[in-house]
């Protein structure tokens, strides 16, 4: 018996059913890498960011997430280069999918128990997503904007249902709008900390304060 088509599991029907000491023998998720590309690139290097946003309340299999990640990664590697972007998958498949295995050979009706004890065995995992939830984000340089949009469009075909591609007004993976980010970086309120930023608050010793050392206080 092969895998069931995912139309059987597309909609959120029951409560979340996760791997636990009671639910054992769950197959590993197909997606193991959630950050691809230049994930250590400094925050100032990639100002542009685009999101793939889900427009339906549904379940997305780990296989579909992995297929989407591969498709986007391949297109961006060929167009922008492997050091010119950073993809981050924002949903994780924790929900366990079950199937009641049925025999399909000759004389199966004598061997199988039909719908008696029909609680299924785990066959895979899926992510439960909501309307407006970000599925994945891509940050890159402003010049790479059309390539990022096209890559996300190609990755979109790996999912059922409707998704939207949104161009963000924020700077990279930070929570600050572009103009505000530039102003706060110049004033010393924000400090680059890898691929995110650190806020310099007004707590602690003056000699340890980046704001004080920058002449802001």
């Amino acid at each position: 018996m092969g895998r069931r088509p995912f139309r059987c599991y597309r909609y959120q029907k029951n409560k979340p059913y996760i791997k636990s000491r009671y639910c054992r023998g769950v197959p590993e998720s197909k997606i193991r890498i959630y950050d691809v590309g230049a994930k250590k690139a400094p925050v100032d290097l990639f100002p542009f960011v685009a999101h793939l946003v889900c427009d339906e309340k549904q379940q997305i299999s780990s296989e579909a997430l992995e297929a989407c990640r591969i498709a986007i990664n391949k297109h961006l590697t060929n167009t922008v280069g492997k050091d010119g972007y950073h993809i981050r998958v924002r949903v994780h498949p924790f929900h366990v999918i079950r199937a009641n295995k049925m025999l399909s050979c000759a004389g199966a009706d004598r061997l199988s128990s039909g719908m008696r004890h029909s609680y299924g065995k785990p066959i895979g995992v899926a992510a439960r997503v909501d309307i407006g939830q970000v599925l994945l984000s891509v940050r890159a340089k402003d010049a790479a904007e059309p390539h990022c949009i096209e890559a996300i469009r190609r990755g979109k075909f790996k999912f059922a249902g409707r998704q939207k591609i949104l161009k963000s007004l924020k700077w990279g993976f930070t929570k600050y709008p572009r103009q505000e980010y530039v102003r706060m970086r110049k004033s010393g309120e924000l400090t680059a900390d890898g691929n995110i930023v650190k806020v310099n608050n007004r707590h602690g010793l003056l000699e340890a304060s980046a704001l004080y050392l920058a002449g802001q206080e």
Side-chain angles (χ1 to χ4, degrees), residues 110-162:
R110 294 163 183 268
L111 301 170
S112 68
S113 57
M115 287 301 286
R116 288 183 189 167
H117 305 295
S118 59
Y119 197 83
K121 296 274 191 293
I123 58 163
V125 284
R128 290 163 67 93
V129 294
D130 219 330
I131 296 170
Q133 187 171 347
V134 178
L135 299 178
L136 58 87
S137 306
V138 180
R139 68 181 181 121
K141 292 181 176 172
D142 284 325
E145 179 182 335
H147 300 303
C148 290
I149 301 291
E150 172 61 17
I152 295 174
R153 190 191 70 83
R154 290 183 180 204
K156 203 162 65 127
F157 295 124
K158 307 296 178 190
F159 298 142
R162 188 195 315 199

Side-chain angles (χ1 to χ4, degrees), residues 23-163:
C23 169
R24 298 178 299 279
V26 177
E28 280 296 316
S29 167
K30 288 289 186 291
I31 182 166
R32 301 308 303 263
I33 303 167
Y34 291 86
D35 282 84
V36 200
K39 54 191 175 198
K40 290 190 177 177
V43 65
D44 293 334
L45 188 62
F46 294 152
F48 172 76
V49 63
H51 304 298
L52 179 61
V53 179
C54 187
D55 209 24
E56 291 192 30
K57 185 171 182 173
Q58 60 176 11
Q59 296 180 156
I60 295 176
S61 68
S62 63
E63 288 87 352
L65 288 170
E66 175 67 0
C68 177
R69 184 188 69 81
I70 290 170
I72 295 176
N73 192 35
K74 189 165 189 178
H75 183 76
L76 287 176
T77 306
N78 294 339
T79 52
V80 182
K82 65 179 181 4
D83 293 325
Y85 64 91
H86 176 192
I87 305 166
R88 177 172 287 169
V89 180
R90 303 272 295 274
V91 290
H92 288 63
F94 291 125
H95 182 72
V96 178
I97 301 297
R98 300 187 306 266
N100 178 25
K101 296 261 170 68
M102 294 285 205
L103 294 171
S104 56
C105 55
D109 52 335
R110 294 163 183 268
L111 301 170
S112 68
S113 57
M115 287 301 286
R116 288 183 189 167
H117 305 295
S118 59
Y119 197 83
K121 296 274 191 293
I123 58 163
V125 284
R128 290 163 67 93
V129 294
D130 219 330
I131 296 170
Q133 187 171 347
V134 178
L135 299 178
L136 58 87
S137 306
V138 180
R139 68 181 181 121
K141 292 181 176 172
D142 284 325
E145 179 182 335
H147 300 303
C148 290
I149 301 291
E150 172 61 17
I152 295 174
R153 190 191 70 83
R154 290 183 180 204
K156 203 162 65 127
F157 295 124
K158 307 296 178 190
F159 298 142
R162 188 195 315 199
Q163 293 82 31

